Amino acid sequence: MAKAGSNLNLDGQGNPVWLLLELTYKCPLKCAFCSNPTDLDAHQDELTTAEWKKVMHDARNMGAMQIGFSGGEPTLRKDLEELVAEANDLGYYTNLITSGIGLTRKRLENLKKAGLRHIQLGFQSSDPQTAHWLAGVDCYEKKINMAREIKALGFPMVLNVPISSLNIHQVPDIISLAADIGVEYLELANVQYYNWALVNRDQLMPTREALIAAEAQVAEAREQLGDSMTIFFVIPDYYEGRPKACMNGWGSIHLTIAPDGVVLPCSQARSLPGLDFPGVRDHDLASIWHESESFNLYRGDSWMKEPCRSCSEKEQDFGGCRCQAMLLTGDAANADPACSKSPHHHIVQDAVASALASKQDHSRLIARDVGWVPTEM
Amino acid sequence: MADSNNHNSLARFSIAPVFMFRWEESQQAHVLMYPEGIVKLNPTAGEILTRCNGANTVEDIVHQLSELFCEQPEFIEPRVHQFLEVCHGKGWIQPQS
């Protein structure tokens, strides 16, 4: 999922700091808010173990320090432990971003031995029925068990809960559950509307009243829990009026490698039409980062149009998200329409109105139905 | 300033297990990494945290830094205490029991 910007206080001095490996698009879940491409079946030719190792090595030489193993479901790769060990040896801080399905106690122990530092577990709901609706399969018990195993092995853990109209009323229960499991960080991340989530936007968008209520509940919980758990509540940009500082700017510090080796400034960028992203099978990673047309297209601010070009906030938000500008206005160089200064802001306001007017009925959610692999629960 | 510190001069600190602290060649600096975050440390902060290895007491750190920077321990001490308090507050370091 596109992040609002990572937490860091250094710049890459022109080099990537974050490397995200999308090891596979395959997944045992069918989430209605999945951020993978809707045409993901077209990109299933996954890199080999040796090819992934070369990517990690090359990015480390360029200065990357944090590595995320993601997907799809990264644990479906049998070589995950081997890749984590290699990353650890290279000096990366290793993060696993998983649904927990595909993990076992044994694999967790082996990942620990391999040097895995941190696990981000995706979680849908504190209620098994809602979790089933959102993920498309019955996985609640398995996830809770894995969360407890992760803590038992002493991994720091982020519980990441995509928030939508279907679970926003459960925020207090979700916080209690996270506290009971003993997670260090709880990320209540309002769903961002790309790919599958955009398909389901009318069904998923919460009301402003629900957001205000959830924010108050989060504030109350922070007061009660003190330092024992950090709760992040990421406001949806459709409501905020200010765009997110997406990826800290295009081609600034983030490098994403898709399952087939295509190199992207973020995992959503593949959906931009007309852009030809090079892959590591054909080109050197450093030359893609520094010299490719696709990485230079929206780097810096010379590509900006008005109102971004003369905006006093362009150094803070970089004009927002290029993918969202493309998806909603038809031109990635436009200001992100989440910005209230954008001449297209009415599109976001109309989407909010449309979601409110539609009968929000979760039986109409469209489950991600490609790249699904059945797994023993 | 020394009076405001809560840390005994004989206390020993180590880097909290969530964090990974090391020299990063590409940044020419010490960095502290944690889930989804990186902090780049200035040289003095890097020297202090390098010594938070569970073996050095705060007093040891003060003496080592006063030699390293050719300053009187009286000058260094309150600054080390203050920095360690900040680090402790941020959860970067933990006292050895």
Side-chain angles (χ1 to χ4, degrees), chain A residues 3 7-11 13 17-18 60 63 65-66 91 93 118 120, chain B residues 17-20 22 24 26-27 31 33-40:
Chain A
K3 303 210 61 128
N7 187 2
L8 93 177
N9 69 350
L10 58 84
D11 72 43
Q13 299 160 357
V17 173
W18 285 81
R60 184 74 192 95
M65 287 177 259
Q66 286 265 4
Y93 188 96
H118 155 237
Q120 178 183 310
Chain B
V18 170
F19 294 88
M20 179 178 179
R22 65 167 173 77
E24 172 59 30
S26 69
Q27 296 279 337
V31 292
M33 295 191 277
Y34 55 99
E36 303 191 15
I38 306 173
V39 177
K40 180 178 173 176

Side-chain angles (χ1 to χ4, degrees), chain B residues 8-14 52-58 60 94-97:
Chain B
N8 188 313
S9 294
L10 298 176
R12 293 178 166 88
F13 288 94
S14 58
C52 290
N53 57 5
N56 289 311
T57 63
V58 175
D60 294 336
Q94 59 188 27
Q96 296 292 104
S97 49

Side-chain angles (χ1 to χ4, degrees), chain A residues 159-354:
Chain A
L159 199 65
N160 181 286
V161 189
I163 295 293
S164 68
S165 65
L166 275 80
N167 62 2
I168 194 161
H169 57 287
Q170 299 167 346
V171 160
D173 293 339
I174 293 169
I175 294 171
S176 302
L177 184 65
D180 182 57
I181 293 168
V183 306
E184 285 82 2
Y185 305 93
L186 173 64
E187 195 168 314
L188 301 169
N190 274 283
V191 165
Q192 301 185 55
Y193 297 101
Y194 302 91
N195 295 322
W196 295 96
L198 184 59
V199 171
N200 288 306
R201 188 174 62 191
D202 275 355
Q203 305 301 318
L204 294 174
M205 179 118 44
T207 63
R208 185 180 296 278
E209 290 68 31
L211 278 166
I212 291 169
E215 240 186 332
Q217 289 157 346
V218 168
E220 193 181 323
R222 279 184 184 136
E223 207 143 285
Q224 280 172 9
L225 293 166
D227 293 338
S228 62
M229 185 167 75
T230 303
I231 308 174
F232 301 103
F233 186 69
V234 185
I235 300 284
D237 55 0
Y238 275 50
Y239 279 105
E240 201 161 33
R242 306 260 46 80
K244 54 185 175 274
C246 199
M247 311 312 284
N248 287 74
W250 181 276
S252 163
I253 56 166
H254 282 270
L255 188 54
T256 295
I257 317 290
D260 55 353
V262 165
V263 185
L264 304 166
C266 77
S267 48
Q268 310 305 324
R270 192 161 210 163
S271 62
L272 292 175
L275 271 184
D276 185 25
F277 290 102
V280 292
R281 282 179 169 145
D282 305 313
H283 301 275
D284 169 64
L285 188 63
S287 76
I288 293 173
W289 174 266
H290 290 293
E291 290 150 31
S292 72
E293 190 191 343
S294 56
F295 267 83
N296 283 306
L297 194 53
Y298 304 115
R299 212 173 233 153
D301 60 13
S302 58
W303 55 273
M304 285 181 182
K305 303 202 251 180
E306 292 298 348
C308 295
R309 185 184 288 267
S310 59
C311 182
S312 62
E313 293 170 70
K314 68 177 176 182
E315 307 281 324
Q316 281 94 58
D317 60 37
F318 317 106
C321 173
R322 304 282 54 77
C323 304
Q324 186 151 281
M326 179 70 223
L327 283 169
L328 301 187
T329 77
D331 182 351
N334 280 335
D336 185 335
C339 180
S340 60
K341 299 177 189 176
S342 158
H344 299 97
H345 187 55
H346 63 90
I347 295 173
V348 162
Q349 292 172 312
D350 290 349
V352 170
S354 163

